[in-house]
Amino acid sequence: MRQDGPKGFFRGTGATLCREVPFYVAGMCLYAEAKKAAQHVLRRDLEAWEIVAVGALSGGLAAIVTTPFDVMKTRMMTAPPGTPVSMQMIIFSILRNEGPLGLFKGAIPRFFWIAPLGAMNFAGYELAKKAMIKDENSSSESTKENLPRNQ
């Protein structure tokens, strides 16, 4: 608070949003396309363990794709108090001092940390989707039963 004032509490918020929004969009797109491809190759719906595997791979790949934003966020949040930082300053510093691969520091551990979360997330998503479809079907059937019949 003394060094940066109230805005110091929000250091890295922009970089966090730049990481999270693409992460969820990429993860969902990768999952949908990978699931569709697997179903096409197998010519059937996926079993539960296959959904878990596709979810893990999708989450892990989304993590790798968004690692540069994670690196920027971490560097911004861990900069010494009072140090002016921006995403642009961080990117140029990394590229100048570490090269393009510096933006992907920690990508492999991040993959293995996020992959299990992707597996659980997409398995839960499929369970919830099935429950809603089942509930929707039972609701529409009971509605049909209660409608007056034309004579």
Side-chain angles (χ1 to χ4, degrees):
M1 184 69 158
R2 278 186 222 130
Q3 295 280 334
D4 295 327
K7 73 178 188 172
F9 291 108
F10 300 97
R11 180 183 269 188
T13 300
T16 300
L17 290 173
C18 285
R19 178 194 68 182
E20 291 301 309
V21 172
F23 171 76
Y24 286 106
V25 170
M28 202 63 186
C29 292
L30 286 166
Y31 175 73
E33 291 304 312
K35 180 183 167 195
K36 195 181 335 177
Q39 287 174 324
H40 179 74
V41 168
L42 298 171
R43 295 191 168 117
R44 61 175 171 75
D45 284 341
L46 300 182
E47 294 179 22
W49 73 269
E50 293 165 323
I51 289 171
V52 168
V54 169
L57 187 61
S58 301
L61 290 175
I64 288 174
V65 169
T66 57
T67 295
F69 295 114
D70 190 55
V71 171
M72 285 189 301
K73 175 202 70 81
T74 302
R75 303 269 176 106
M76 289 177 80
M77 293 177 131
T78 59
T83 305
V85 292
S86 70
M87 285 191 280
Q88 189 176 19
M89 290 169 60
I90 297 290
I91 289 172
F92 288 137
S93 172
I94 292 169
L95 292 174
R96 183 176 47 252
N97 298 321
E98 303 168 53
L101 288 179
L103 292 169
F104 289 90
K105 280 198 170 179
I108 293 172
R110 187 166 150 76
F111 175 92
F112 287 107
W113 176 61
I114 299 288
L117 300 175
M120 292 183 287
N121 182 35
F122 290 114
Y125 166 76
E126 290 295 335
L127 276 171
K129 191 167 87 172
K130 279 183 182 179
M132 286 188 278
I133 290 169
K134 184 178 179 182
D135 187 50
E136 186 178 283
N137 289 340
S138 65
S139 293
S140 64
E141 288 173 15
S142 66
T143 304
K144 287 177 190 175
E145 292 171 5
N146 294 331
L147 290 175
R149 296 178 192 232
N150 290 340
Q151 307 238 351

